[in-house]
Amino acid sequence: MSQQHYATAPASTPAKAQRSDWWRDAVIYQVYPRSFADSNGDGMGDLEGIRTRLPYLRDLGVDAVWLSPFYASPQADAGYDVADYRAVDPMFGNLLDADALIRDARGLGLRIIVDLVPNHSSDQHEWFKRAVAEGPGSPLRDRYHFRPGKGANGELPPNDWESIFGGPAWTRVADGEWYLHLFAPEQPDFNWDHPAVGDEFRSILRFWLDMGVDGFRIDVAHGLVKAEGLPDLGSHDQVKLLGNDVMPFFDQDGVHEIYRQWRLILDEYPGERIFVAEAWTPTIERTANYVRPDELHQAFNFQYLSTAWDAEELREVIDRTLEAMRPVGAPATWVLSNHDVTRHATRFANPPGLGTQIRTAGDRDLGLRRARAATLLMLALPGSAYIYQGEELGLPDVVDLADEDRQDPAYFRGAGQDGFRDGCRVPIPWTREGSSYGFGAGGSWLPQPSEWAELSVQAQTGDPDSTLELYRTALAVRRAQPGLGAGDEVEWLRAPEGVLAFRRGEFVCVANTGGEAVTTPAYGRLLLASGEVAEVDGEAKVPADTTVWWTTA
């Protein structure tokens, strides 16, 4: 027999929305608001657009929706430069729209997680504008990192730190002082040693918790505290050290006391609200520090995201993740794509390396085949999984955007990150036709390729071979199988070179990362596969770049 996957899974209200420990094995879907759905035809996604598409997310089978920033912002870095943490930017709507979205999500059995950006504000935040206007000695300057420069006339930056986006991490103001910004100059870093900063963010947490959100994804969670005295790093090309080495501005031990205070606030609210850390650390063991029982609930597993499609490397990072999380009692989290990295359908097209460019149709097919297989592997692992909008459609990065269309600030700084994050942020297609393939009535803020018509939700719905239906079925099977979801153990099985095979209760997963088909035992009843699998006389022929699920029940 041969089988790829079940027919479309029926719509249902996610059961985990009613559970007290829902976050331990939740599947959480990231919405990038400007690129999800546009309700008013201005080419930019908005909260009302998201609200109208919530039934799609319920039917996909996810448990929660994480919204990237929609706060009032000059949009120097796509909303990660916040001018007012208690207001919705007019391009996305208003607070009434946010309230309606949260209420509708709850009615559909979905939870809403919002982004929180505590490392830095916009340079248009009222605090920063006053700090600049009031000059040296202003109390407001103590809420940021203002310093005199070095050199005879203060013409040199206070230290050698570099921006993540390239160039110095310091900008000089007209009165001669410099301020710190680990990202764009429009994003000055808060000074978390000042009590007013902590007071403000505790108030912001309560504001959104009172609005009914179910949690917060903490942007740059590793960056709030800087080493005392802001010491020189002593090396250049510092971006290459990120996540690989100890940095005086990242992963300082002082961040953990902040999160202990935050956890006390969250625990006052019913319904098991959660924190999720974006924490780039040198090791998964350091990441585990963020999810100790009195701190945060989850932390993104960037070590897993950065791993090549290779059985040996994947097994190593899976084992290390489970071992690191076990002592702190936190669930592992798994993620393959987000708004800051090359989509895995492109990344796996011609490994190694993040940022690989697709050159041929063959590359596209290979990347999609590996992406489908990688998704089934991820969803079979114990813990929680994150899905980035559009990956369920098999979308690749858009790699041929014209220079005049790009908006990533890293692109214009000409250094630091590669500046090509726009490629994973192109608005997703909903229909085969229309000015933006159903995204909105007035085009889209980044142009979509014409071939995306056949990758749209409309084109893929009901096609049993489509990536969308694979995701729908995988999430339904994952929910139905007792061996999947929460836990911290996998039982590795003997397998050919290039193949991962493991058991979890009555569930067995086999992932062939190699370039040739392999023969394995048929471990039971075939549940799902990312490609065609032939079973004969108790054996299964698993094609290259294919993942298979069985049950022994």
Side-chain angles (χ1 to χ4, degrees):
M1 66 175 282
S2 65
Q3 183 175 346
Q4 184 169 354
H5 55 79
Y6 288 142
T8 305
S12 62
T13 299
K16 292 189 189 67
Q18 310 306 320
R19 282 184 16 207
S20 62
D21 60 346
W22 66 274
W23 48 275
R24 289 193 169 273
D25 59 352
V27 177
I28 299 174
Y29 186 100
Q30 180 189 358
V31 166
Y32 193 66
R34 60 173 53 207
S35 298
F36 191 67
D38 170 20
S39 70
N40 59 9
D42 65 356
M44 187 69 66
D46 47 48
L47 296 183
E48 176 63 16
I50 297 168
R51 189 174 73 86
T52 63
R53 298 294 188 179
L54 287 174
Y56 165 80
L57 297 177
R58 175 203 58 195
D59 295 347
L60 183 62
V62 302
D63 302 297
V65 181
W66 153 35
L67 303 175
S68 291
F70 51 80
Y71 310 111
S73 166
Q75 304 295 320
D77 184 23
Y80 282 93
D81 51 316
V82 180
D84 187 342
Y85 290 85
R86 298 177 182 83
V88 174
D89 194 281
M91 74 164 59
F92 298 125
N94 55 44
L95 283 173
L96 291 177
D97 295 318
D99 180 70
L101 192 160
I102 294 166
R103 290 175 182 273
D104 280 13
R106 181 163 295 159
L108 293 170
L110 295 168
R111 295 176 182 263
I112 294 293
I113 296 169
V114 297
D115 230 310
L116 188 67
V117 188
N119 179 70
H120 48 262
S121 74
S122 166
D123 63 350
Q124 297 305 301
H125 190 286
E126 191 61 33
W127 283 7
F128 190 79
K129 290 195 296 183
R130 283 182 54 196
V132 172
E134 292 175 7
S138 165
L140 269 296
R141 291 206 173 187
D142 292 339
R143 299 180 185 185
Y144 296 89
H145 294 279
F146 279 87
R147 295 289 188 277
K150 293 182 178 179
N153 299 302
E155 71 277 8
L156 299 176
N159 68 19
D160 66 356
W161 294 0
E162 296 175 0
S163 165
I164 307 306
F165 291 159
W170 296 89
T171 289
R172 199 178 193 187
V173 297
D175 56 47
E177 286 198 331
W178 298 73
Y179 68 88
L180 176 68
H181 54 86
L182 291 179
F183 294 87
E186 296 88 354
Q187 295 168 290
D189 279 47
F190 283 116
N191 175 15
W192 272 87
D193 289 332
H194 195 291
V197 177
D199 291 345
E200 172 69 354
F201 274 91
R202 286 190 292 272
S203 173
I204 291 166
L205 289 175
R206 292 185 185 281
F207 178 87
W208 288 104
L209 289 167
D210 290 341
M211 282 278 289
V213 303
D214 296 286
F216 301 87
R217 177 264 189 187
I218 304 170
D219 185 61
V220 196
H222 53 298
L224 277 56
V225 173
K226 278 65 173 176
E228 186 176 356
L230 309 185
D232 284 341
L233 190 57
S235 64
H236 295 286
D237 207 5
Q238 296 170 14
V239 171
K240 292 183 178 179
L241 301 178
L242 297 178
N244 298 307
D245 208 345
V246 176
M247 314 283 276
F249 46 78
F250 281 160
D251 196 29
Q252 297 292 303
D253 290 341
V255 299
H256 299 289
E257 181 55 35
I258 295 169
Y259 299 137
R260 291 186 187 100
Q261 294 176 19
W262 287 12
R263 181 63 179 264
L264 294 174
I265 293 173
L266 207 66
D267 288 347
E268 294 175 10
Y269 287 79
E272 288 236 89
R273 323 287 178 101
I274 69 167
F275 286 122
V276 183
E278 182 206 29
W280 289 86
T281 67
T283 66
I284 190 68
E285 291 78 13
R286 292 286 299 180
T287 301
N289 290 336
Y290 290 78
V291 289
R292 288 175 286 198
D294 60 345
E295 295 188 43
L296 310 179
H297 297 77
Q298 295 183 348
F300 289 124
N301 191 341
F302 293 118
Q303 284 83 2
Y304 185 77
L305 182 150
S306 302
T307 301
W309 179 239
D310 176 88
E312 184 176 351
E313 294 182 31
L314 285 164
R315 177 167 175 171
E316 179 181 359
V317 75
I318 290 167
D319 282 340
R320 286 191 61 189
T321 297
L322 296 176
E323 290 169 5
M325 296 299 154
R326 201 172 290 125
V328 296
T333 62
W334 314 100
V335 61
L336 291 167
S337 289
N338 64 36
H339 66 290
D340 278 333
V341 302
T342 303
R343 289 183 178 273
H344 61 285
T346 295
R347 199 167 71 241
F348 291 151
N350 186 22
L354 300 175
T356 299
Q357 304 296 302
I358 292 180
R359 293 184 293 271
T360 68
D363 286 342
R364 285 195 296 273
D365 292 343
L366 175 62
L368 179 58
R369 190 164 66 247
R370 287 174 168 168
R372 289 162 58 97
T375 295
L376 288 197
L377 172 61
M378 175 182 75
L379 292 175
L381 295 171
S384 179
Y386 282 77
I387 295 172
Y388 176 50
Q389 66 174 47
E391 72 173 70
E392 78 276 15
L393 304 177
L395 296 185
D397 263 38
V398 179
V399 299
D400 55 356
L401 290 169
D403 290 356
E404 58 268 23
D405 291 326
R406 295 190 178 277
Q407 299 194 30
D408 184 350
Y411 180 80
F412 298 102
R413 286 174 70 84
Q417 295 183 7
D418 61 18
F420 287 94
R421 295 179 300 174
D422 291 322
C424 67
R425 299 176 176 183
V426 175
I428 66 174
W430 294 92
T431 61
R432 281 192 170 99
E433 298 178 348
S435 65
S436 59
Y437 305 109
F439 168 69
S444 63
W445 67 282
L446 286 172
Q448 303 151 301
S450 59
E451 59 266 26
W452 278 22
E454 293 308 311
L455 295 177
S456 65
V457 173
Q458 181 185 55
Q460 296 196 44
T461 295
D463 177 358
D465 295 325
S466 72
T467 300
L468 176 57
E469 296 298 354
L470 176 68
Y471 269 72
R472 286 172 170 164
T473 305
L475 294 177
V477 172
R478 188 180 191 270
R479 189 181 304 279
Q481 283 296 308
L484 289 174
D488 61 7
E489 299 283 351
V490 297
E491 176 191 350
W492 294 107
L493 306 174
R494 293 183 61 183
E497 185 177 356
V499 176
L500 289 172
F502 60 86
R503 185 188 306 275
R504 299 186 61 211
E506 297 173 339
F507 172 85
V508 175
C509 176
V510 171
N512 179 10
T513 70
E516 302 292 337
V518 297
T519 299
T520 73
Y523 286 96
R525 177 167 57 89
L526 184 62
L527 288 171
L528 186 61
S530 64
E532 295 292 335
V533 175
E535 292 186 329
V536 179
D537 297 330
E539 292 186 331
K541 187 174 183 180
V542 180
D545 302 311
T546 299
T547 297
V548 191
W549 290 359
W550 283 280
T551 180
T552 60

